[in-house]
Amino acid sequence: MSESITAKEEEKNRQKPPLSLGRIASEILAGIGMSFAAMMLFRCIEGLMLFGGIGDGESRIAFMATLSKVTPGVCGIAGAVGVYLLGSRGSQTGSFLVTLASGFLAGLLMLATRPLAYRLPEALLIVTLFCSFLPPVLLVSPIMATIGFNLTRRYKETVLPRTSGE
C-alpha cells in the first residue's frame, strides 16, 4: 500500500503544476508591491539627505549617486522576494535562487540602460530619469522574477508519516 502511495507522490512531483493566469498576475502584483516598498524606503532616505541637511553638499551628491546605482538592484531583489513568497504558497514551489537572480538581473538591466538616456534632449532626459525608476523597475523586475519562478515551478514534496512497523 505504501509503495503505491510513494509511486503516486513521485509521479506527482515530476509533473509541473498547471499554470494559472490569476496566480501569475498575483505573483507580479506581489513583486510590484515589494519593489514599491523598497523604493519608498530609498526615497525616504533620499529625502532625509536632501531636505534634512545631513552632511555637506558634496557628501549628499556622492550619497545620492551611490543610492541611484544601488536602488534598481535592491528593488529587483525585493520584487523577486515578493514573487517567491506568493508563488510558493499552497502545493507548489519554485527555485528561490532562479527567482532572485531573474529579478536582480532585470534591476541591473535597468541600471545599464540609464546611460542611454543621457543622449536624449534635456526636457526628455528629466522625464526619463524621473520615470526610469518607477515603471521599468516596478514592472520589469517582477515580471522577470515571475518568469524565473514559473520556469522552475513544481509541486512541493510531501512528507509521509512514519509507520511504527518500519
Side-chain angles (χ1 to χ4, degrees):
M1 175 88 175
S2 66
E3 290 179 13
S4 64
I5 293 173
T6 306
K8 286 180 184 177
E9 289 296 322
E10 286 180 14
E11 180 65 29
K12 182 182 172 186
N13 287 339
R14 280 189 240 132
Q15 296 174 353
K16 277 195 167 197
L19 201 56
S20 166
L21 187 61
R23 190 172 180 104
I24 289 173
S26 61
E27 289 170 1
I28 292 172
L29 287 175
I32 289 171
M34 290 290 280
S35 291
F36 186 75
M39 189 176 303
M40 287 298 104
L41 177 67
F42 277 89
R43 294 296 184 220
C44 288
I45 293 170
E46 283 179 350
L48 286 174
M49 287 296 292
L50 286 176
F51 302 114
I54 300 172
D56 60 352
E58 290 179 18
S59 65
R60 281 190 225 160
I61 291 172
F63 178 77
M64 296 287 285
T66 304
L67 196 62
S68 70
K69 292 175 185 170
V70 172
T71 302
V74 171
C75 288
I77 290 171
V81 169
V83 167
Y84 181 78
L85 288 176
L86 191 74
S88 56
R89 291 185 62 206
S91 63
Q92 62 186 11
T93 188
S95 171
F96 179 69
L97 290 177
V98 172
T99 307
L100 192 65
S102 300
F104 181 70
L105 291 176
L108 289 183
L109 178 67
M110 293 297 109
L111 184 61
T113 59
R114 288 184 85 195
L116 299 175
Y118 291 112
R119 297 179 186 239
L120 299 173
E122 188 174 328
L124 199 56
L125 174 65
I126 293 170
V127 172
T128 304
L129 288 177
F130 177 74
C131 295
S132 67
F133 284 114
L134 288 177
V137 171
L138 286 181
L139 292 175
V140 174
S141 294
I143 289 172
M144 292 301 294
T146 301
I147 291 171
F149 178 82
N150 284 311
L151 286 175
T152 60
R153 185 173 37 87
R154 65 187 185 282
Y155 283 110
K156 288 183 180 175
E157 294 180 16
T158 55
V159 179
L160 297 174
R162 289 187 177 182
T163 58
S164 59
E166 293 181 343

